[in-house]
Amino acid sequence: MHQLDEGLFAVTGNAAVQEALAHPLIVAEHPLKASARAFGPNMLDADGPSHRAFRALLAPILSAGRIAEYKQALMPRLVHGLVDSIAGIETDTFYDSFAHRVPYGIVCTILGIDASLEDRFHELTRPLARLLDYPTQETDETHANVTELLRLIEEQRAAKTAGAHSLLETIERTRDRKGISLTDGEVRSTALLFFLAGTETSSAFITSLVYCLGRGIFRLDELRDETIRDAYIEEVLRLYPPVQTIVRFASEDLTVQGVEVPRHSAVLASIAGANRDPQVFDHPDRFQTGRNLKGSIPFAAGGHACPGARLAKTEFSLLIQELIQRCSDVVITRDRLGMESQSFSHPTDFSVEFRTR
């Protein structure tokens, strides 16, 4: 636990980060947060009963049964399309040009958005990452994009293009059935944040996954084994969590790891630091499958842990399987060891070649 400035603390050790993220007095809600101003009441910026109500809306969409349906009927087509577009090429714009295609296709379908609007949603959504990053970048563009996205979501809903299993239809049905006290506007904001989090975190991590594949740590054929493949994904998640830093606030004067934290202080919980804590992980900067991953928290911890972790891991596993089928090797051909962002973190400034069989 480190004091960086007056009213600003960073938490980096594994035990301290987990304590901070689970602490009842270290909260997500703050009236001056850019995301709260842009989206209004929403799952990301709520705590306690309100947060649980928002999460309850997403539970049916992210159930094991529904994810099994996506794995069978939705994901293979999208993954095949992505790999079809990269097999045999070398690119230095993987993140910008390719990484978003599968997550945007999945979440647009779940949300009930017409496929013809996917590129428009990508164009409008990507700048919104600035609202969730630290330090926040709040601009006229981000607010305009939120307004336009909410308009498009409402337009799609009114046109009834979505099926009965879409996110919007499901969360409204869940709200009404459970008597959850949320307005239509709060439901739309929940849907939009689900879209933002589900697409941008996955796009970032798919970039990290491809980067690690390209570093030649494992041969592709070794990852045919599901157990090895799952361990590989978990180790990439430990080393390259898509969200590296989470911002919380002290609602009261409190103490974490013996350090006094005054009320209203910002608390920056470092997921990246927790996942590379040498007291928990031997040789923490080394890529090493088979290690004990107890303590790895790539999807955060506590009540705000990512509800879409299982969906994301399914997506990543299918992508590796398709790469194995189509490619003999994935090779990083240029690497300047850059990293971008805190909230949607991924390697940058590299070129990768997808060599076909």
Side-chain angles (χ1 to χ4, degrees):
M1 193 77 179
H2 315 277
Q3 183 166 4
L4 304 181
D5 203 346
E6 184 176 354
L8 180 62
F9 293 79
V11 194
T12 56
N14 191 282
V17 168
Q18 297 212 45
E19 180 181 342
L21 292 177
H23 201 297
L25 298 180
I26 298 180
V27 299
E29 189 171 357
H30 193 288
L32 299 182
K33 283 179 75 173
S35 52
R37 289 196 297 270
F39 295 102
N42 65 80
M43 183 177 73
L44 187 70
D45 299 313
D47 295 289
S50 180
H51 176 73
R52 290 191 289 273
F54 279 117
R55 287 181 77 95
L57 297 180
L58 298 179
I61 290 292
L62 299 173
S63 68
R66 193 67 66 87
I67 290 172
E69 293 177 14
Y70 304 148
K71 182 179 180 180
Q72 183 71 28
L74 170 60
M75 293 183 183
R77 169 179 58 84
L78 296 169
V79 169
H80 180 81
L82 169 61
V83 175
D84 195 51
S85 68
I86 59 177
I89 73 165
E90 181 179 3
T91 177
D92 59 3
T93 62
F94 179 80
Y95 173 73
D96 290 323
S97 302
F98 300 102
H100 65 280
R101 295 189 181 181
V102 172
Y104 271 80
I106 291 171
V107 180
C108 275
T109 302
I110 291 174
L111 191 56
I113 302 299
D114 189 277
S116 65
L117 291 174
E118 284 181 21
D119 288 342
R120 179 62 174 154
F121 266 72
H122 178 232
E123 175 189 358
L124 291 167
T125 301
R126 181 143 286 178
L128 300 186
R130 304 172 195 159
L131 291 170
L132 305 183
D133 219 337
Y134 187 85
T136 296
Q137 297 181 43
E138 186 176 8
T139 65
D140 290 341
E141 179 191 24
T142 55
H143 283 274
N145 285 14
V146 168
T147 300
E148 176 63 8
L149 282 163
L150 289 172
R151 186 192 70 78
L152 286 171
I153 288 172
E154 180 57 32
E155 185 179 87
Q156 291 286 288
R157 178 185 173 278
K160 299 188 181 300
T161 57
H165 289 309
S166 75
L167 174 65
L168 284 175
E169 294 294 330
T170 300
I171 61 180
E172 288 189 353
R173 192 164 56 245
T174 303
R175 175 193 63 178
D176 296 341
R177 186 178 71 251
K178 294 189 174 183
I180 297 172
S181 183
L182 295 174
T183 67
D184 286 349
E186 290 166 347
V187 167
R188 304 293 179 275
S189 292
T190 294
L192 180 53
L193 272 171
F194 172 81
F195 185 87
L196 173 59
T199 54
E200 289 305 303
T201 53
S202 289
S203 298
F205 184 72
I206 285 171
T207 303
S208 298
L209 194 64
V210 164
Y211 177 79
C212 287
L213 289 171
R215 293 288 299 275
I217 301 166
F218 272 55
R219 290 183 296 104
L220 278 182
D221 283 343
E222 292 181 78
L223 300 176
R224 292 182 184 276
D225 184 289
E226 184 177 6
T227 300
I228 296 175
R229 186 168 63 248
D230 288 347
Y232 187 93
I233 291 170
E234 292 292 348
E235 182 66 349
V236 180
L237 281 166
R238 183 188 69 82
L239 282 168
Y240 295 97
V243 176
Q244 294 211 342
T245 302
I246 296 174
V247 184
R248 294 286 186 264
F249 301 91
S251 61
E252 303 289 345
D253 293 343
L254 53 93
T255 300
V256 177
Q257 300 285 300
V259 177
E260 294 182 0
V261 180
R263 182 185 181 193
H264 298 318
S265 295
V267 178
L268 311 181
S270 175
I271 300 297
N275 280 0
R276 296 194 186 210
D277 186 340
Q279 295 185 30
V280 178
F281 304 104
D282 291 334
H283 306 292
D285 296 326
R286 180 185 299 171
F287 192 105
Q288 180 180 314
T289 58
R291 67 164 77 240
N292 184 352
L293 286 169
K294 183 179 181 181
S296 179
I297 50 170
F299 295 101
H304 278 268
C306 175
R310 183 183 296 176
L311 175 65
K313 290 179 183 181
T314 302
E315 174 185 345
F316 305 148
S317 183
L318 285 177
L319 175 58
I320 292 177
Q321 289 179 68
E322 185 71 15
L323 285 170
I324 291 169
Q325 294 301 317
R326 301 289 301 281
C327 297
S328 61
D329 207 355
V330 176
V331 180
I332 298 295
T333 55
R334 179 182 61 85
D335 187 3
R336 294 188 178 175
L337 302 176
M339 289 293 292
E340 181 175 301
S341 182
Q342 292 292 326
S343 291
F344 303 103
S345 180
H346 58 88
T348 61
D349 205 8
F350 68 91
S351 299
V352 59
E353 182 181 358
F354 299 89
R355 297 174 181 171
T356 53
R357 293 187 178 277

